[in-house]
Amino acid sequence: MKNSILITITTLKGSKQYTITQIIKKFLITILFFFIVLMIGLFFFIKYLNSVIDTKNNDLQKSKTEIQHLTKQKENLNFKILTLEKNISLLEDTISKKEKFLSEVNDKVADIERIIQFTPPKDIEIKQRLDLAKLNLIDKKIMLRNIPNGYPVPYIGISSKFGWRKHPILHKKEFHTGLDLRAKMNTPVKATADGIVEYARFHKRSGYGNLLIIDHNFGFKTLFGHLHKIIVKNGDFVKKGQIVAYTGNTGLSNGPHLHYEIRYIGVVLNPLYFVKWNLKNYNYIFKKEKKVKWEEIIKAIYYNKILCK
């Protein structure tokens, strides 16, 4: 052939002749075939890689989603932890305040028990201690409401005590049956216990001048002498602390003052013990005044309280 190179190849099977053009064509066809196979391989390989990438992307997206979810859970958990810590702090603060309050209550109950001179049984709760103290306090208040106690006028001194003395006007030795309490003219005089007015007018024979006698429970009486003015009358009911008269200088008196007496079933008692008697030193009177049947009075208060329930 023109412009072609003829190549003869001889083998045992025979001889074959090729031209350069045919060899080139076969080479190109072979290259093209391998190229096509390579392209197909690359196509599937790329497709596989894409699927792997998609899978990885999906896994990555899931991981991101899980991370976001975990982050949110962490934020929620942190918030809950902060809330819990805040609640714990508030609870601890509340517990601390309650413990402080209980301690203060316990101290106050102890103060009340000390004031009313009451010793509670051991190992009982505060409420029971309060109930017992309350019952004990009620009994004591009944006593202090019905039996004379405290000063009938503001205390500024005593000019003459209970007992034997030389009378300042008669100038003879006699038994002074009360206390002469210093007081300015027209000082308000208060009842020292609940009672009923037995006498309220001038009493010439005794020398007490204007005299007020109040009859109290359990056999007690109080007498107020040398008064300027009496503002209650016979039969009036008076309460402890009520103003009943004003101090003066009537009768056998050498100056304004209050003559104050306490009697128990006709027996004169030393008023000094009674004016010093109050809730804080409740047992004081029982040690000082032995002429009064205190046990019988306490029994009477107890039985009266039972009957009133």
Side-chain angles (χ1 to χ4, degrees), residues 275-309:
V275 295
K276 292 181 178 181
W277 184 33
N278 54 46
L279 193 60
K280 289 183 179 180
N281 63 344
Y282 182 77
N283 292 331
Y284 168 83
I285 196 71
F286 308 131
K287 298 174 183 177
K288 289 291 185 180
E289 186 52 76
K290 304 295 184 180
K291 297 176 184 177
V292 178
K293 295 182 179 180
W294 296 112
E295 295 84 358
E296 298 301 319
I297 293 173
I298 292 169
K299 285 180 184 178
I301 291 173
Y302 175 77
Y303 288 124
N304 184 61
K305 188 171 65 174
I306 294 297
L307 289 172
C308 290
K309 286 185 177 180

Side-chain angles (χ1 to χ4, degrees), residues 1 4 8 11 18 33 165 169 199 214 240 278:
M1 295 177 76
S4 296
T8 301
T11 63
Y18 299 95
F33 173 76
R165 67 163 188 177
I169 295 177
Y199 189 93
I214 300 176
K240 177 178 172 60
N278 54 46

Side-chain angles (χ1 to χ4, degrees), residues 90 185 273 290:
L90 290 173
M185 195 73 175
Y273 302 145
K290 304 295 184 180

Side-chain angles (χ1 to χ4, degrees), residues 162 175-178 261-264 266-270 289 291:
F162 177 84
F175 192 86
H176 189 224
T177 54
E261 283 187 27
I262 296 178
R263 297 181 183 182
Y264 172 68
V267 178
V268 291
L269 304 176
N270 189 347
E289 186 52 76
K291 297 176 184 177

Side-chain angles (χ1 to χ4, degrees), residues 102-125:
L102 286 174
S103 176
E104 290 175 353
V105 169
N106 187 66
D107 291 342
K108 288 180 180 178
V109 172
D111 288 340
I112 292 171
E113 290 168 347
R114 186 168 57 255
I115 288 170
I116 66 176
Q117 299 180 1
F118 171 68
T119 303
K122 293 181 179 179
D123 301 324
I124 63 171
E125 295 180 357

Side-chain angles (χ1 to χ4, degrees), residues 112 115-116 133-149 192-194 217-218 240 277-280 282 286 301 305:
I112 292 171
I115 288 170
I116 66 176
K134 183 179 177 182
L135 289 173
N136 195 265
L137 182 61
I138 289 171
D139 291 342
K140 291 180 178 180
K141 282 188 173 181
I142 290 173
M143 289 276 282
L144 293 170
R145 190 82 197 178
N146 289 276
I147 299 174
N149 62 92
T192 51
D194 293 353
N217 287 321
F218 310 116
K240 177 178 172 60
W277 184 33
N278 54 46
L279 193 60
K280 289 183 179 180
Y282 182 77
F286 308 131
I301 291 173
K305 188 171 65 174

Side-chain angles (χ1 to χ4, degrees), residues 44-223:
F44 284 104
F45 181 70
I46 291 170
K47 190 173 182 180
Y48 168 74
L49 288 177
N50 285 333
S51 66
V52 170
I53 291 171
D54 289 340
T55 302
K56 295 295 182 182
N57 285 335
N58 289 334
D59 291 341
L60 182 61
Q61 188 62 37
K62 287 180 181 179
S63 297
K64 287 182 179 179
T65 304
E66 288 179 1
I67 289 170
Q68 289 176 351
H69 180 67
L70 290 172
T71 302
K72 190 173 182 181
Q73 283 186 332
K74 182 182 176 183
E75 290 175 354
N76 291 335
L77 185 60
N78 288 335
F79 176 76
K80 288 179 180 179
I81 289 171
L82 289 173
T83 304
L84 184 60
E85 288 176 347
K86 186 177 179 181
N87 290 337
I88 290 172
S89 178
L90 290 173
L91 184 60
E92 288 176 345
D93 187 52
T94 302
I95 291 171
S96 177
K97 286 180 180 178
K98 286 190 175 181
E99 286 177 346
K100 184 179 178 182
F101 174 74
L102 286 174
S103 176
E104 290 175 353
V105 169
N106 187 66
D107 291 342
K108 288 180 180 178
V109 172
D111 288 340
I112 292 171
E113 290 168 347
R114 186 168 57 255
I115 288 170
I116 66 176
Q117 299 180 1
F118 171 68
T119 303
K122 293 181 179 179
D123 301 324
I124 63 171
E125 295 180 357
I126 289 178
K127 185 179 183 301
Q128 291 175 304
R129 286 173 61 190
L130 279 172
D131 290 340
L132 289 173
K134 183 179 177 182
L135 289 173
N136 195 265
L137 182 61
I138 289 171
D139 291 342
K140 291 180 178 180
K141 282 188 173 181
I142 290 173
M143 289 276 282
L144 293 170
R145 190 82 197 178
N146 289 276
I147 299 174
N149 62 92
Y151 285 93
V153 291
Y155 178 76
I156 58 173
I158 297 172
S159 57
S160 185
K161 294 182 179 180
F162 177 84
W164 289 99
R165 67 163 188 177
K166 186 178 181 180
H167 196 283
I169 295 177
L170 300 177
H171 302 292
K172 64 178 182 178
K173 191 175 181 181
E174 67 170 16
F175 192 86
H176 189 224
T177 54
L179 283 181
D180 284 347
L181 299 170
R182 289 193 177 99
K184 294 180 180 180
M185 195 73 175
N186 287 320
T187 298
V189 178
K190 296 180 179 180
T192 51
D194 293 353
I196 296 175
V197 177
E198 180 185 296
Y199 189 93
R201 59 182 182 275
F202 190 83
H203 196 277
K204 184 177 180 181
R205 188 177 62 180
S206 65
Y208 290 159
N210 289 327
L211 175 65
L212 172 64
I213 301 175
I214 300 176
D215 190 8
H216 307 284
N217 287 321
F218 310 116
F220 289 90
K221 288 185 181 182
T222 49
L223 286 77

